[in-house]
């Protein structure tokens, strides 16, 4: 470095020094060569001597080599063969090693194909996962591995499509067979309920044992044995019946869920499943238009719904996350609202109580089944109370027809009993008690007609029919008792009362029938207490309970009886009017017939025979009817006498009319109905007699011009003055005679003076003539 860096002439100096060093070395080499030159010459001389020997050696070596080559050709061939074998062996070893790496891959791929062929898709996905993560990376350099790697995603998609297709088939299958699933579930729930009820009855078998301990012990033991055998038979039968879940193969759902979970698409599958099931729920909840016509329509509808939710409940409990409790509750609430709306609509078309009862039983089984699966069903039982009102309405319509048929078939005559057996048959149907009648000998007649025991039995049948709906509603005995009493009250106060009112108003119902109807209602009213006892015995609720309702039969039958009494009064008056219409008075007759008019005698005979029929009626009713008839007769005769068309009456007509009035008074005094005090009934004709005397007065004035004050004229009583004035005021509007008579006081005074003058002149003329 210093040669090139420091001194300006360093290079030159260096070269000079280097040349000097070279010259020194050359001198040393020359000295060395001169020193060894003799040895070199000697070596050359020795080499020349060895040259000839070397030639010989070369020939010998060449010959030896030739001979050795000839002798080693076979060895060389064997050696090459050995080398080739060794190479093959090494290659085989290498192939074996590589095949050992590839063989598991091929085996796994073959296993994958086999799993695909037998539809073990979830296992196939696990095999794919092992191939990708464990086996294929070891032999990824081979082309067939690349092909496998490219095929695996396609196989996954194929598995997804196949599993989804299986799921769709599964959904379609349960859609078609959900009614069978639901029917099985409902049947099992009903069997379980029946078993529980029978077991409860078995536990209550000691009821009443203290009263009949000795006699009933053997019977109770037999009942226990019978129940035990029944339970054993049911157990054997249950073992043969598949459960609702056993009817469905849920493996497509499990496979599809596992497949999508393994592929990381579990959320997509869950959303798809829930969406499809919601669509199916809407289809299941859609009723058929004619569902309300048959029980089978309702049964199929309920079975489909139960089958749907049984499947969902099973999926909820055997899978994790596919459906949740929130999802099922939301689905159930939606379905419940739809079910209630459908049942309200379709049940309103049901007019057959048996169909409504079948519907109620189906709803109860439906509710109990779903309640067993954890779904709330309180709204369904609330709906049953609405349907119960409709059921009662259908019962009322049905019993209305039954009552009408009973009333139409009744002969409205007392029931004849020829012997003790017939009497007991009637008593077994209707609680009749009459000590006086019991003392009589057979044959005899019961006061009521055939319709009374039939109506009583039909009321009991109605109570039984109403009780059928109250069963299985999970209500207390008090509530059931209240329901029965309310429905029975509706039957009595509305249906039976309406039938009685319509019966009373029918034209063909005569007085005899009306009398019998009054008697019948009296006995039915007395039987209401037995109906209350009957309901209490059914429900085991004492009538002394504070909240126990009472039957309104008393007021019902009283109203019907009052209506029948009013109809009796009306028909009696109509009959009297019919007789009055055939009256044919000759108001200008010179002399009377000397006896009462024929129409009046027929009328009185009719009244006598009619009032004899009234002997079975309560005394007050018969008395009122008799008084009403007499008053109406008196008023009719009075209107006949005060008719505005009547211008003139002869003395003979007045005498004939007087005979008719006397006959009426005789009829009243004969006491056609016992129980009147004094002359109470005769007072009904007092106004008629007073009007007759006034008419007689004016007849004398007009015809004879004579005013005679007869001692037989009965003066007006103060209590009758007002009614008589009213009658004469009404008739005076069209009658000029009475109009003159009822002028003001001045006109009356003038009239009196004129009559007096005429009488005086007449008396004077008669005296002169004498």
């Amino acid at each position: 470095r210093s040669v090139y860096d420091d001194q300006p002439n360093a290079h030159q100096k260096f070269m000079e020094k280097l040349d000097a060093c070279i010259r020194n070395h050359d001198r040393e080499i020359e000295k060395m060569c001169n020193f060894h030159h003799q040895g070199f010459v000697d070596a050359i001389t020795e080499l020349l001597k060895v040259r000839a020997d070397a030639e010989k050696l070369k020939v010998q070596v060449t010959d030896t080599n030739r001979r050795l080559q000839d002798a080693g050709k076979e060895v060389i061939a064997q050696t090459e063969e050995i080398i080739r074998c060794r190479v093959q062996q090494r290659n085989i070893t290498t192939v074996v090693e590589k095949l050992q790496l590839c063989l598991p891959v091929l085996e796994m791929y073959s296993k994958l194909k086999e799993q695909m062929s037998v539809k073990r898709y979830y296992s196939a996905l696990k095999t794919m996962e092992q191939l990708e993560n464990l086996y294929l990376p070891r032999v990824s350099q081979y082309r067939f591995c690349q092909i496998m790697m490219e095929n695996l995603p396609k196989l996954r998609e194929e598995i997804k499509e196949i599993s989804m297709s299986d799921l769709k088939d599964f959904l379609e299958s349960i859609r078609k067979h959900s009614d069978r699933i639901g029917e099985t579930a409902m049947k099992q729930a009903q069997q379980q309920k029946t078993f529980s009820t029978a077991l409860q009855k078995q536990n209550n078998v000691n009821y009443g044992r203290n009263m009949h301990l000795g006699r009933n012990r053997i019977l109770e033991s037999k009942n226990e044995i019978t129940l035990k055998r029944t339970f054993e038979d049911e157990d054997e039968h249950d073992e043969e019946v598949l459960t609702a879940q056993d009817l469905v193969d849920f493996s497509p759902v499990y496979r599809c869920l596992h497949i999508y979970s393994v592929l990381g698409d579990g959320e997509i599958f869950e959303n798809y499943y829930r969406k499809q099931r919601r669509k199916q729920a809407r289809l299941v909840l859609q009723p058929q238009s004619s569902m309300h016509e048959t029980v089978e329509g309702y049964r199929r509808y309920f079975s489909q719904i139960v089958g749907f939710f049984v499947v969902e409940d099973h999926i909820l409990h055997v899978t994790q996350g596919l459906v949740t409790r929130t999802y099922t509750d939301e689905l159930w609430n939606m379905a419940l609202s739809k079910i209630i709306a459908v049942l309200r609509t379709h049940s309103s078309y049901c007019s057959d109580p048996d169909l409504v009862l079948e519907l109620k039983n189906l709803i109860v089984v439906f509710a109990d089944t779903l309640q067993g699966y954890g779904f709330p069903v309180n709204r369904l039982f609330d709906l049953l109370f609405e349907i119960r009102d409709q059921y009662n309405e259908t019962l009322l319509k049905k019993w209305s027809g039954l009552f009408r048929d009973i009333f139409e078939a009744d002969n409205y005559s007392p029931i004849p009993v020829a012997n003790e057996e017939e009497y007991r048959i009637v008593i077994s149907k209707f609680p009749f008690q009459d000590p006086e009648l019991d003392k009589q000998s057979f044959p005899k007649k019961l006061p009521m007609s055939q319709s009374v025991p039939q109506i009583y039995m039909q009321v009991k049948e109605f109570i039984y029919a109403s009780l059928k709906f109250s069963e299985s509603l999970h209500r207390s005995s008090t509530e059931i008792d209240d329901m029965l009493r309310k429905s029975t009250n509706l039957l009595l106060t509305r249906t039976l009362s309406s039938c009685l009112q319509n019966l009373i108003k029918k034209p063909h119902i005569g007085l005899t029938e009306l009398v019998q109807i009054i008697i019948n209602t009296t006995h039915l009213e007395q039987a209401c207490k037995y109906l209350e006892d009957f309901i209490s015995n059914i429900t085991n609720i004492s009538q002394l309970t504070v909240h126990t309702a009472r039957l309104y039969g008393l007021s019902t039958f009283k109203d019907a009886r009052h209506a029948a009494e009013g109809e009796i009064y009306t028909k009696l008056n109509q009959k009297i009017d019919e007789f009055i219409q055939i009256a044919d008075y000759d108001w200008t007759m010179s002399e009377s017939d000397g006896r009462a008019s024929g129409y009046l005698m027929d009328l009185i005979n009719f009244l006598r025979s009619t009032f004899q029929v009234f002997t079975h009626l309560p005394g007050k009713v018969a008395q009122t009817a008799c008084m009403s008839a007499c008053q109406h007769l008196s008023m009719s005769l009075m209107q006949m006498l005060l008719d505005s068309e009547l211008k003139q009456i002869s003395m003979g007509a007045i005498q004939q009319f007087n005979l008719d009035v006397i006959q009426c008074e005789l009829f009243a005094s004969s006491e056609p109905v016992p129980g009147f005090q004094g002359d109470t009934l005769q007072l009904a004709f007092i106004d008629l007699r007073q009007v007759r005397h006034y008419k007689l007065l004016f007849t004398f004035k007009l015809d004879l011009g004579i005013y005679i004050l007869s001692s037989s004229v009965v003066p007006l009583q103060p209590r009758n003055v007002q009614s008589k004035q009213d009658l004469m005021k009404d008739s005076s509007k069209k009658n000029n005679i009475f109009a003159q008579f009822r002028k003001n006081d001045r006109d009356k005074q003038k009239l009196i003076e004129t009559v007096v003058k005429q009488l005086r002149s007449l008396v004077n003329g008669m005296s002169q003539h004498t």
Side-chain angles (χ1 to χ4, degrees):
R1 246 190 332 227
S2 62
V3 172
Y4 293 97
D5 293 342
D6 298 337
Q7 300 175 5
N9 297 321
H11 180 69
Q12 184 177 0
K13 291 180 179 180
F14 174 75
M15 293 303 294
E16 291 177 354
K17 289 182 181 182
L18 183 61
D19 289 339
C21 185
I22 290 171
R23 287 190 297 272
N24 291 331
H25 281 293
D26 286 342
R27 285 192 295 271
E28 290 179 1
I29 291 171
E30 186 177 357
K31 288 179 182 180
M32 184 64 67
C33 289
N34 291 330
F35 177 76
H36 292 288
H37 176 70
Q38 188 62 39
F40 179 72
V41 172
D42 293 338
I44 290 298
T45 302
E46 290 180 1
L47 283 174
L48 289 174
K49 292 179 180 180
V50 172
R51 181 176 182 180
D53 295 333
E55 288 293 339
K56 295 179 181 180
L57 179 60
K58 180 178 178 181
V59 173
Q60 292 177 357
V61 170
T62 301
D63 184 58
T64 303
N65 181 53
R66 181 181 54 78
R67 287 187 285 107
L68 183 62
Q69 290 295 332
D70 294 337
K73 284 181 180 180
E74 186 177 354
V75 176
I76 289 172
Q78 294 294 330
T79 301
E80 288 177 354
E81 183 67 24
I82 292 173
I83 292 171
R84 188 179 64 80
C85 291
R86 293 289 178 87
V87 171
Q88 288 181 351
Q89 185 178 7
R90 185 178 69 250
N91 291 339
I92 290 172
T93 303
T94 303
V95 169
V96 170
E97 291 176 356
K98 297 303 181 181
L99 286 176
Q100 286 178 349
L101 290 175
C102 295
L103 188 59
V105 177
L106 297 174
E107 289 177 351
M108 292 297 289
Y109 196 78
S110 175
K111 180 180 179 181
L112 173 62
K113 289 295 186 179
E114 183 181 356
Q115 290 171 342
M116 291 288 292
S117 64
V118 296
K119 298 183 179 182
R120 296 175 57 192
Y121 301 117
Y122 180 71
S123 301
L125 289 175
K126 290 297 184 181
T127 304
M128 288 184 194
E129 185 177 356
Q130 292 179 358
L131 279 172
E132 287 181 331
N133 298 332
L134 183 61
Y135 294 98
L136 287 178
R138 299 177 185 177
V139 290
S140 59
Q141 68 273 20
Y142 301 108
R143 190 162 59 91
F144 76 89
C145 293
Q146 297 299 326
I147 296 174
M148 288 182 182
M149 293 294 291
E150 293 174 359
N151 287 336
L152 289 181
K154 297 179 181 179
L155 291 175
R156 284 196 177 91
E157 290 299 324
E158 182 181 355
I159 290 175
K160 287 178 64 175
E161 293 176 359
I162 293 174
S163 62
M164 184 57 68
S165 177
D166 292 343
L167 177 66
K168 292 178 180 179
D169 294 340
F170 167 79
L171 293 176
E172 183 64 23
S173 176
I174 61 174
R175 170 69 182 90
K176 293 180 179 179
H177 299 93
S178 59
D179 54 345
R180 182 186 174 194
I181 299 169
E183 185 177 356
T184 303
M186 293 172 66
K187 185 181 297 183
Q188 291 172 351
Q190 194 170 9
Q191 289 175 352
Q192 180 65 29
K193 184 177 181 180
T194 304
F195 178 81
S196 300
T197 304
L199 186 61
Q200 184 178 4
K201 290 181 179 179
Q202 182 187 22
N203 293 333
N204 295 333
V205 83
N206 292 330
Y207 177 77
R209 176 172 294 184
N210 293 332
M211 296 177 61
H212 309 282
L213 182 60
R215 184 170 60 90
N216 288 347
R217 181 170 298 170
I218 298 176
L219 294 177
E220 290 173 356
S221 301
K222 291 182 178 179
N223 290 336
E224 292 176 358
I225 296 172
T226 303
L227 287 173
K228 187 179 296 184
R229 290 177 180 174
T230 302
F231 295 154
E232 290 175 354
D233 294 340
E234 290 180 355
D235 292 339
E236 293 176 358
H237 180 69
D238 292 339
E239 291 176 358
E240 298 174 358
V241 177
L242 295 176
T243 62
Q245 292 81 2
D246 295 334
L247 298 175
V248 183
D249 180 15
F250 291 93
S251 57
V253 181
Y254 305 150
R255 285 197 302 267
C256 203
L257 175 61
H258 293 162
I259 288 169
Y260 274 78
S261 299
V262 170
L263 297 178
D265 296 333
E267 186 176 354
I268 296 175
F269 173 73
E270 293 171 5
N271 294 333
Y272 175 81
Y273 177 84
R274 295 179 185 180
K275 181 179 179 180
Q276 294 299 319
R277 290 297 281 168
R278 283 193 181 95
K279 290 181 180 179
Q280 289 189 350
R282 294 187 183 96
L283 293 176
V284 167
L285 295 172
Q286 191 67 30
Q288 296 180 356
S289 59
S290 60
M291 184 181 71
H292 62 278
E293 296 177 357
T294 60
V295 179
E296 289 301 322
Y298 287 107
R299 181 176 285 109
R300 173 178 285 273
Y301 181 68
F302 288 132
S303 298
Q304 289 179 348
I305 297 173
V306 171
F308 178 89
F309 283 100
V310 166
V311 171
E312 289 304 290
D313 181 75
H314 183 75
I315 294 294
L316 172 66
H317 288 90
V318 300
T319 60
Q320 294 181 354
L322 180 56
V323 295
T324 61
R325 175 57 67 180
T326 303
Y327 161 78
T328 55
D329 290 343
E330 178 184 354
L331 202 60
W332 169 245
N333 290 330
M334 182 271 292
L336 190 58
S337 300
K338 179 67 175 178
I339 292 168
I340 291 175
V342 168
L343 291 178
R344 279 175 177 165
T345 301
H346 285 265
S347 63
S348 61
Y349 296 112
C350 296
S351 58
D352 184 6
D354 295 333
L355 181 58
V356 179
L357 184 62
E358 289 290 340
L359 173 60
K360 168 257 175 183
N361 293 331
L362 285 176
I363 293 176
V364 170
V365 175
F366 173 74
D368 290 342
T369 302
L370 289 176
Q371 189 175 29
Y373 285 93
F375 295 98
V377 293
N378 292 332
R379 293 174 62 188
L380 285 175
F381 284 102
D382 294 337
L383 174 66
L384 284 174
F385 285 99
E386 299 179 15
I387 298 179
R388 181 199 65 190
D389 296 335
Q390 180 184 349
Y391 175 73
N392 287 335
E393 290 296 326
T394 58
L395 285 181
L396 292 176
K397 291 181 181 179
K398 179 179 179 181
W399 258 257
S400 176
L402 293 175
F403 289 154
R404 286 195 300 268
D405 295 340
I406 291 174
F407 288 140
E408 290 178 1
D410 194 9
N411 58 5
Y412 296 99
S413 301
I415 302 175
V417 287
N419 49 46
E420 183 71 23
E421 183 179 357
E422 293 182 2
Y423 180 74
R424 292 188 179 278
I425 291 175
V426 176
I427 297 301
S428 64
K429 296 179 180 179
F430 182 77
F432 175 75
Q433 294 180 356
D434 189 351
E436 296 296 330
L437 186 64
D438 292 341
K439 296 177 182 179
Q440 298 178 12
S441 60
F442 292 100
K444 54 188 176 182
K445 292 183 178 181
L446 301 181
M448 79 286 287
S449 64
Q450 290 288 350
S451 62
V452 173
Q454 293 176 1
I455 291 293
Y456 183 80
M457 292 300 295
Q458 286 300 327
V459 173
K460 292 176 69 175
E461 290 297 328
F462 176 87
I463 295 172
Y464 278 126
S466 181
L467 178 64
K468 289 180 181 179
F469 195 93
S470 301
E471 294 174 349
S472 305
L473 291 185
H474 307 297
R475 296 294 174 177
S476 63
S477 299
T478 304
E479 292 175 315
I480 294 176
D481 182 87
D482 187 60
M483 291 183 214
L484 291 179
R485 292 178 185 272
K486 287 182 178 179
S487 59
T488 307
N489 279 330
L490 284 176
L491 177 71
L492 297 176
T493 59
R494 195 172 75 182
T495 304
L496 183 56
S497 176
S498 176
C499 291
L500 285 171
Q501 296 292 341
N502 294 334
L503 175 66
I504 292 169
K505 296 296 182 181
K506 286 186 176 181
H508 69 276
I509 298 297
L511 292 173
T512 304
E513 287 81 3
L514 289 172
V515 171
Q516 188 62 53
I517 289 173
I518 293 176
I519 297 172
N520 291 347
T521 53
T522 303
H523 288 283
L524 287 173
E525 178 182 344
Q526 296 172 356
C528 283
K529 62 179 181 179
Y530 296 102
L531 290 176
E532 291 185 347
D533 295 338
F534 177 71
I535 295 175
S536 299
N537 292 334
I538 292 177
T539 59
N540 292 326
I541 298 298
S542 173
Q543 297 186 32
L544 301 178
T545 306
V546 177
H547 302 288
T548 301
R550 293 291 181 264
L551 296 184
Y552 300 147
L554 300 178
S555 60
T556 299
F557 296 120
K558 283 182 179 178
D559 294 341
R561 189 160 54 251
H562 291 162
E565 293 170 3
E567 194 66 19
I568 286 177
Y569 307 151
T570 302
K571 286 187 179 296
L572 273 176
N573 294 340
Q574 291 176 353
K575 200 68 177 177
I576 291 173
D577 292 340
E578 292 177 3
F579 280 100
I580 294 296
Q581 288 176 1
I582 64 176
D584 187 16
Y585 280 103
D586 182 8
W587 298 107
T588 60
M589 62 190 308
S590 58
E591 293 182 359
S592 65
D593 295 339
R595 61 179 182 275
S597 301
Y599 84 92
L600 187 66
M601 294 304 298
D602 293 338
L603 173 59
I604 290 175
N605 292 332
F606 165 76
L607 292 177
R608 289 185 188 279
S609 61
T610 300
F611 291 145
Q612 288 178 358
V613 179
F614 287 4
T615 55
H616 297 290
L617 287 176
K620 187 176 181 181
V621 176
Q623 294 170 12
T624 305
C626 184
M627 178 59 75
S628 174
C630 291
Q631 289 178 347
H632 186 74
L633 176 59
S634 175
M635 186 64 65
S636 299
L637 293 174
M638 185 182 297
Q639 290 177 355
M640 184 187 302
L641 192 62
L642 300 178
D643 189 3
S644 61
E645 301 295 331
L646 184 60
K647 303 297 184 180
Q648 187 176 4
I649 304 177
S650 65
M651 181 62 69
I654 290 295
Q655 292 175 351
Q656 182 64 39
F657 193 81
N658 184 48
L659 292 174
D660 293 343
V661 174
I662 292 173
Q663 193 65 37
C664 292
E665 291 173 341
L666 290 174
F667 170 73
S669 62
S670 66
E671 195 176 5
V673 174
F676 286 105
Q677 295 180 356
D679 57 350
T680 304
L681 192 59
Q682 291 89 324
L683 293 177
F685 298 98
I686 190 170
D687 292 343
L688 178 63
R689 176 162 292 281
Q690 290 175 352
V691 172
R692 181 177 62 82
H693 285 302
Y694 279 109
K695 201 72 174 181
L696 177 62
L697 171 64
F698 287 103
T699 300
F700 283 154
K701 171 183 175 295
L702 294 174
D703 292 345
L704 302 177
I706 302 174
Y707 186 76
I708 302 175
L709 298 177
S710 174
S711 60
S712 62
V713 176
V714 180
L716 291 174
Q717 300 296 327
R719 62 185 177 86
N720 294 326
V721 170
Q722 185 62 38
S723 61
K724 176 56 63 181
Q725 290 177 352
D726 292 340
L727 288 173
M728 299 192 67
K729 181 186 292 184
D730 292 338
S731 63
S732 66
K733 292 180 182 180
K734 295 182 181 180
N735 193 328
N736 294 329
I737 298 175
F738 286 95
Q740 280 186 342
F741 187 74
R742 283 178 176 80
K743 287 182 180 180
N744 55 27
D745 295 341
R746 186 179 60 186
D747 292 339
K748 289 181 179 180
Q749 186 65 31
K750 288 182 179 180
L751 179 60
I752 293 173
E753 292 176 356
T754 301
V755 171
V756 170
K757 289 179 181 180
Q758 292 177 357
L759 290 174
R760 286 178 180 174
S761 62
L762 180 61
V763 170
N764 293 332
M766 291 179 66
S767 62
Q768 292 176 0
H769 183 270
T770 303

